[in-house]
Amino acid sequence: MTVKSVKLSNLVIAIQSTWPQRPVQRAPLFLWLSAALIATLAALPLGYLIIRASGAGLDKVIDILLQARTHQIFLGSLGLALSVTLTSVVVGVLLAWLVVRTDLPGRKIWAVLTVLPLVIPSYVGAFTLISALGPKGLVQGWLEPLGLERLPTIYGFHGAWLTLTLFTYPYALLSVRAALRGLDPSLEEAARSLGRSQLQVFREITLPHLRPSIAAGGLLVALYTLSDFGAVSMLRFDAFTRAIYLQYSASFDRSVAAVLALLLVGVTLVILVFEKRMRGKARYYRSSAGAVRPAATIQLGVWRWPALAFCGLVTLLALVIPLTVVGYWLVRGALAGEVVSLRLDVVLNSMLGSGSAGLVAMVAAIPVTVLAIRFPGHLSSWLERSTYIGYALPGVVIALSLVFFGANYAVILYQTIFMLIFAYVVRFLPQAVGSTRASLLQVSPRLEEAARNLGRTPLQTLTSITVPLIRPGLLTGLALVFLTAMKELPATLILGPTGFSTMATQIWDTTAQAFFAQAAVPSLLLVLVSAVAVWIILWQEEKRARS
């Protein structure tokens, strides 16, 4: 059998399997203790749910699980998560490939514009899309003179799918784009030298090597979709979060909500197992030393215009329309003489809480990720996976679990900003873990082995070798946590100290009272401040691409 008759992807795997295997080493005790402590703290909401659900009794739990409405909520939430994840991954992979590997006109501009929807909260995005595309919305008003009196409804499943896709696809885009920039182009060049077409190279070489980044980005999208409350509530879709919130707010018996939340945790565990299997055990770092070369730019040819149209459509729906609607309400309010302003302390509160959460999450992600990747095993893997539980839970569940914990076991922290920061970290730690994992997977462990052979202790190796090498992933995780914590609503409303207000809570309060003009100022400022975090992410990508 000749080399050309062997499928190139199998050939690469066969070559990698001949590399010398690293001797199995035991993980340092400080890594185990740190990761176990972080995983335990992240699982506190799960303990609260178990306590609440167990108080209901087995018969009631079974009755809740067998109800037709429970089945409807389960299937609807699962279908929404799957559809949003698949669509976001497809959009994210296509956009990442276009802005990194092709001669797309203005690709540096598109690289920024296609990431910016990440700064728009889902509830703001839902409101703007309803205002623009809903019944009696702006677009319908513009089209009525042309004879179009009614647009298709945006409420329900389709509206929730569109809204969450538009404002979560950047998670997949950022993860895949970072992996594309760090991918060794020699494998693709070898494939082309063996006669493979560009499509075959992408399918057999590029796409398999993007599996960790696709899995990490898709996992964040899926869990964000399951935990979202604002968008599904505004669009009147019965997902887990909306049902849980209604049960918590409308009933003194919170056991039903606890059972639904535990069912949501079960869905999360299934998603985590699927993500782990998809990621696989392949290694994605370079096999030899040497400078990283940029991949050759692919000529789009006649596909340039469809590619431009695709980028323009995504940017129009996810960025231009939301900002235009917010600007419209701001101008309309100013012309009507409404007072539109924002207190400085509200901005500082938002930045303090979100920035602190980003720093803590970045530090917490290091031992969890290093233990899972450098010392793989069932226990280390599940310690890492357990940090993802909080990301799939609604903010209201995490907040109420910490209220229970603080009132009974940590009174000194109750109703302080430290409890709020802790809630942010529990909620968004997976974002820091995911970006750190993607960065560490591309670092050869031989560099750390060399440091230990030169007499460095494991802690010295971690701080002087590993952490500097994965700094882009750490900073990306910090920026992602900062972004999402800035937009977090239920946890802030419940756990914020007395008189503590953020831009997110002001947006929610004013839109709930239909003061849309007053919501425009904090919405625009939230986008502006969050754009700084996006700039940090893009700057790290560019810096890594040049190194």
Side-chain angles (χ1 to χ4, degrees):
M1 180 182 294
T2 64
V3 173
K4 287 189 177 182
S5 65
V6 180
K7 199 175 185 68
L8 190 61
S9 58
N10 294 333
L11 177 61
V12 172
I13 295 174
I15 293 174
Q16 289 180 343
S17 67
T18 64
W19 292 343
Q21 298 296 311
R22 296 185 295 122
V24 178
Q25 296 180 345
R26 296 181 62 181
L29 181 61
F30 75 88
L31 272 183
W32 280 112
L33 293 178
S34 301
L37 176 62
I38 293 167
T40 301
L41 293 175
L44 279 179
L46 180 60
Y48 165 78
L49 294 176
I50 293 175
I51 293 173
R52 281 291 184 186
S54 61
L58 182 60
D59 292 340
K60 186 173 182 180
V61 170
I62 295 176
D63 181 62
I64 294 171
L65 294 177
L66 293 179
Q67 289 179 3
R69 176 163 173 76
T70 301
H71 299 163
Q72 179 184 4
I73 293 170
F74 173 81
L75 293 176
S77 297
L78 187 60
L80 181 65
L82 289 175
S83 59
V84 171
T85 302
L86 290 174
T87 312
S88 297
V89 165
V90 171
V91 172
V93 170
L94 285 176
L95 288 175
W97 186 75
L98 287 172
V99 300
V100 174
R101 289 297 182 85
T102 71
D103 63 341
L104 179 74
R107 63 177 184 171
K108 289 187 177 181
I109 297 176
W110 293 117
V112 175
L113 293 178
T114 52
V115 173
L116 285 179
L118 192 63
V119 307
I120 301 176
S122 63
Y123 46 88
V124 173
F127 156 69
T128 57
L129 289 180
I130 291 172
S131 180
L133 304 176
K136 303 300 181 181
L138 299 176
V139 174
Q140 182 178 323
W142 296 336
L143 296 178
E144 278 183 354
L146 302 178
L148 185 61
E149 297 182 356
R150 187 173 183 84
L151 294 174
T153 181
I154 196 172
Y155 293 103
F157 177 86
H158 294 92
W161 163 76
L162 176 63
T163 301
L164 289 171
T165 298
L166 291 176
F167 302 110
T168 59
Y169 81 82
Y171 290 121
L173 168 61
L174 287 171
S175 181
V176 174
R177 194 166 72 182
L180 275 174
R181 289 181 180 274
L183 184 63
D184 188 351
S186 61
L187 295 175
E188 296 168 310
E189 293 169 358
R192 284 191 290 269
S193 69
L194 292 175
R196 296 298 197 273
S197 66
Q198 187 59 56
L199 182 60
Q200 289 175 318
V201 170
F202 180 80
R203 185 178 65 249
E204 298 175 9
I205 302 298
T206 308
L207 202 57
H209 279 78
L210 294 178
R211 279 198 309 174
S213 58
I214 292 175
L219 179 62
L220 291 178
V221 172
L223 297 184
Y224 185 97
T225 303
L226 287 173
S227 66
D228 179 77
F229 167 73
V232 295
S233 296
M234 287 189 175
L235 292 162
R236 306 171 191 171
F237 179 73
D238 280 333
F240 270 120
T241 50
R242 187 165 183 252
I244 292 170
Y245 177 79
L246 292 176
Q247 285 293 331
Y248 268 116
S249 60
S251 174
F252 289 104
D253 182 10
R254 293 174 175 173
S255 58
V256 176
V259 172
L260 291 177
L262 283 175
L263 187 58
L264 181 56
V265 172
V267 175
T268 301
L269 294 178
V270 172
I271 292 175
L272 291 174
V273 171
F274 177 78
E275 184 269 344
K276 183 180 178 182
R277 291 182 180 275
M278 176 182 174
R279 185 185 351 116
K281 298 182 179 180
R283 291 173 288 179
Y284 299 90
Y285 50 82
R286 291 168 59 85
S287 60
S288 60
V292 178
R293 296 182 292 105
T297 301
I298 298 172
Q299 306 296 319
L300 289 174
V302 296
W303 290 100
R304 174 179 300 184
W305 307 117
L308 275 175
F310 173 69
C311 294
L313 178 62
V314 172
T315 304
L316 174 67
L317 293 175
L319 187 64
V320 176
I321 289 180
L323 294 182
T324 301
V325 171
V326 172
Y328 164 80
W329 284 109
L330 178 62
V331 173
R332 180 173 174 175
L335 293 177
E338 292 188 39
V339 178
V340 287
S341 61
L342 184 65
R343 301 196 318 265
L344 179 60
D345 64 307
V346 172
V347 180
L348 295 179
N349 288 342
S350 298
M351 298 183 67
L352 174 62
S354 303
S356 301
L359 289 172
V360 174
M362 179 185 69
V363 174
I366 296 173
V368 173
T369 308
V370 172
L371 181 67
I373 294 180
R374 292 298 187 243
F375 306 96
H378 292 297
L379 181 56
S380 62
S381 176
W382 278 107
L383 283 176
E384 180 204 15
R385 298 293 92 183
S386 65
T387 62
Y388 282 78
I389 293 175
Y391 196 64
L393 291 175
V396 63
V397 174
I398 294 177
L400 290 174
S401 68
L402 294 182
V403 167
F404 172 81
F405 173 77
N408 290 276
Y409 306 106
V411 180
I412 193 173
L413 297 178
Y414 187 59
Q415 286 192 331
T416 67
I417 192 173
F418 300 104
M419 187 66 79
L420 178 61
I421 293 172
F422 179 60
Y424 287 159
V425 174
V426 171
R427 181 90 165 81
F428 304 119
L429 178 59
Q431 295 179 333
V433 172
S435 62
T436 304
R437 159 178 279 278
S439 186
L440 185 57
L441 280 171
Q442 294 185 333
V443 175
S444 173
R446 292 176 176 82
L447 298 173
E448 297 156 311
E449 292 169 3
R452 287 194 292 269
N453 290 336
L454 292 174
R456 297 287 181 91
T457 65
L459 181 58
Q460 290 174 329
T461 302
L462 177 66
T463 56
S464 63
I465 303 297
T466 308
V467 170
L469 288 173
I470 63 175
R471 183 164 41 192
L474 291 174
L475 291 178
T476 298
L478 187 156
L480 285 173
V481 174
F482 177 84
L483 275 172
T484 45
M486 185 85 67
K487 300 181 291 185
E488 172 59 26
L489 185 64
T492 310
L493 290 171
I494 296 174
L495 293 174
T498 303
F500 186 87
S501 182
T502 66
M503 289 185 283
T505 58
Q506 281 220 337
I507 293 170
W508 183 262
D509 291 339
T510 51
T511 53
Q513 300 176 47
F515 297 147
F516 300 133
Q518 295 182 19
V521 173
S523 296
L524 289 176
L525 191 57
L526 180 60
V527 170
L528 180 61
V529 174
S530 301
V532 176
V534 172
W535 175 81
I536 293 175
I537 296 172
L538 298 178
W539 173 63
Q540 283 300 312
E541 278 191 1
E542 200 66 30
K543 183 178 179 181
R544 182 164 53 180
R546 293 172 181 170
S547 61

